[in-house]
Amino acid sequence: MHLLTGDVDHTAHIDPLRALRAPDDPECDVYLTGTVFLDIIFTGLDSAPVRGTESWARGMGSSPGGIANMATALARLGLRTSLSAAFGDDHYGEYCWDALAQGEGIDLSRSRTVSGWHSPVTVSMAYEGERTMVSHGHEAPPPEGALPECPPRARAAVAALTPGRRDEWIAASARHGTRIFADVGWDDTGRWDLAGLADLEHCEAFLPNAEEAMRYTRTECPRAAARLLAERVPVAVVTLGSEGAYAVDGATGETAEVPAIAVEALDPTGAGDVFVAGFVTGTLAGWPLADRLAFAGLTAALSVQEFGGSLSAPGWTEIAAWWSHVRGVSDQDPAALRRYGFLPELLPAPTRPWPLRRAVPTIGFGRSA
């Protein structure tokens, strides 16, 4: 099975860490682990499906989802990405493996194929800038025999914190000098106990959304929440939705706030993952806090203009095309453009007009060899 990429080289051979690389580097830039889903996305729906009726979508796509959204976003920004995950030995699992390993260049040497286990699946319906999802899957059975060494030496790792649970790999990574970047999901217990996020002590940066940050800090202002979180973690970043993002460096006291880019949002799936990937990229490259925040917001904004999770993640090719296009818009605010004045030194020469055609979202027209 094949992932058709529309002849777009997302990375444009840009390595944001080229100036920092040395012979004794870790074997990967970013390590992550989690569950890979097959995402089936229905698009072009005029409204939510109505019970008892049949709805026809004008478009449909398939792509790896779940933790694959984050892995793809990182890889398309030129970071050497290693993913540890279980894959089913069904056609869905084969497709997801090929799409990530061959299509995106993600290292899957620490991943495994599980015989007789079917791939988790999510069906997503996008309409009116929102989405509704239905998922199905079972936890992968434990591996037989010895696992490959995990985690590897890495510059950074991305973790999803779980209330009330420690993940040993996070502490192990931090002990070996890996910089941990973490987000968190909705607390279904309703406790919102910051002390329950035990692995927060290992994190360099924590990136919740505004609602999560305010609930965990018992505040009514996301900026106040970020300042309180910065007392627990070196860098706190709170995403503010349509208002952008706000960050506090707890070590220096520096703050940064960047407004969101106004875009036509078609599908928000994976936008949070893309934001984290952009922030990780800028941090590893040593950029100023405000530039990291702006870059993360830009990549997230570009992603919501496309359907799907991993398919919508922009790479340097898309960013270059956007930058070339936006500077030619007559009513563009010059002050807003100056916020992205750090981009020209990073970007390749644009080779295709904006908007670019992203990957063709299909399980594939050919058969496996």
Side-chain angles (χ1 to χ4, degrees):
M1 303 205 178
H2 307 287
L3 182 69
L4 306 181
T5 61
D7 297 323
V8 175
D9 175 12
H10 298 282
T11 67
H13 305 291
I14 298 297
D15 180 359
L17 307 185
R18 180 177 288 113
L20 303 175
R21 298 206 182 277
D24 60 346
D25 274 351
E27 56 189 283
C28 63
D29 294 327
V30 186
Y31 169 77
L32 61 168
T33 184
T35 302
V36 173
F37 286 75
L38 172 72
D39 281 356
I40 301 174
I41 307 104
F42 290 100
T43 65
L45 290 164
D46 295 321
S47 61
V50 178
R51 185 173 64 179
T53 67
E54 180 179 15
S55 299
W56 279 82
R58 291 187 290 274
M60 189 204 80
S62 303
S63 65
I67 194 63
N69 294 338
M70 180 75 74
T72 299
L74 291 162
R76 289 188 177 182
L77 292 175
L79 298 184
R80 299 171 185 174
T81 303
S82 179
L83 170 64
S84 175
F87 291 79
D89 65 348
D90 51 12
H91 288 312
Y92 291 166
E94 181 187 6
Y95 159 70
C96 288
W97 184 291
D98 287 349
L100 296 174
Q102 299 176 22
E104 305 294 347
I106 294 167
D107 170 39
L108 298 181
S109 62
R110 287 173 174 76
S111 292
R112 60 192 174 100
T113 298
V114 181
S115 178
W117 179 64
H118 75 76
S119 301
V121 176
T122 292
V123 175
S124 175
M125 292 160 281
Y127 52 88
E128 298 176 353
E130 294 294 338
R131 57 179 174 170
T132 297
M133 298 186 293
V134 178
S135 297
H136 173 72
H138 302 282
E139 186 174 351
E144 298 179 1
L147 280 173
E149 184 181 353
C150 182
R153 286 184 63 232
R155 296 176 189 268
V158 179
L161 302 186
T162 302
R165 190 183 82 188
R166 282 188 181 272
D167 285 313
E168 177 53 34
W169 75 265
I170 297 177
S173 292
R175 285 195 299 269
H176 288 91
T178 298
R179 304 164 74 175
I180 309 296
F181 297 77
D183 60 11
V184 67
W186 191 259
D187 186 356
D188 291 328
T189 69
R191 297 189 183 94
W192 299 100
D193 179 12
L194 196 57
L197 299 179
D199 286 319
L200 194 61
E201 65 178 321
H202 304 300
C203 296
E204 174 174 326
F206 183 43
L207 300 95
N209 64 34
E211 185 67 21
E212 294 159 350
M214 289 188 292
R215 285 178 179 268
Y216 273 115
T217 58
R218 308 295 193 268
T219 60
E220 297 182 358
C221 171
R223 292 161 185 82
R227 291 191 290 272
L228 285 175
L229 290 173
E231 297 176 2
R232 301 287 298 274
V233 67
V235 178
V237 180
V238 175
T239 55
L240 308 174
S242 60
E243 295 182 32
Y246 181 78
V248 179
D249 186 320
T252 66
E254 179 186 5
T255 64
E257 183 166 0
V258 175
I261 298 174
V263 297
E264 180 184 357
L266 297 181
D267 182 3
T269 304
D273 296 323
V274 172
F275 182 95
V276 173
F279 191 82
V280 170
T281 300
T283 301
L284 294 184
W287 301 350
L289 182 61
D291 289 355
R292 286 181 265 162
L293 208 59
F295 185 73
L298 168 61
T299 54
L302 296 183
S303 77
V304 301
Q305 297 179 79
E306 298 282 342
F307 288 109
S310 61
L311 288 176
S312 69
W316 293 106
T317 299
E318 288 86 357
I319 297 168
W322 171 82
W323 179 246
S324 177
H325 165 76
V326 76
R327 287 180 299 161
V329 176
S330 59
D331 60 349
Q332 182 63 49
D333 181 3
L337 283 182
R338 284 195 294 273
R339 172 59 270 167
Y340 299 93
F342 64 94
L343 283 177
E345 294 183 1
L346 304 167
L347 297 177
T351 57
R352 301 181 63 171
W354 175 265
L356 292 182
R357 181 171 177 243
R358 305 275 178 93
V360 176
T362 176
I363 290 181
F365 295 109
R367 292 185 179 273
S368 301

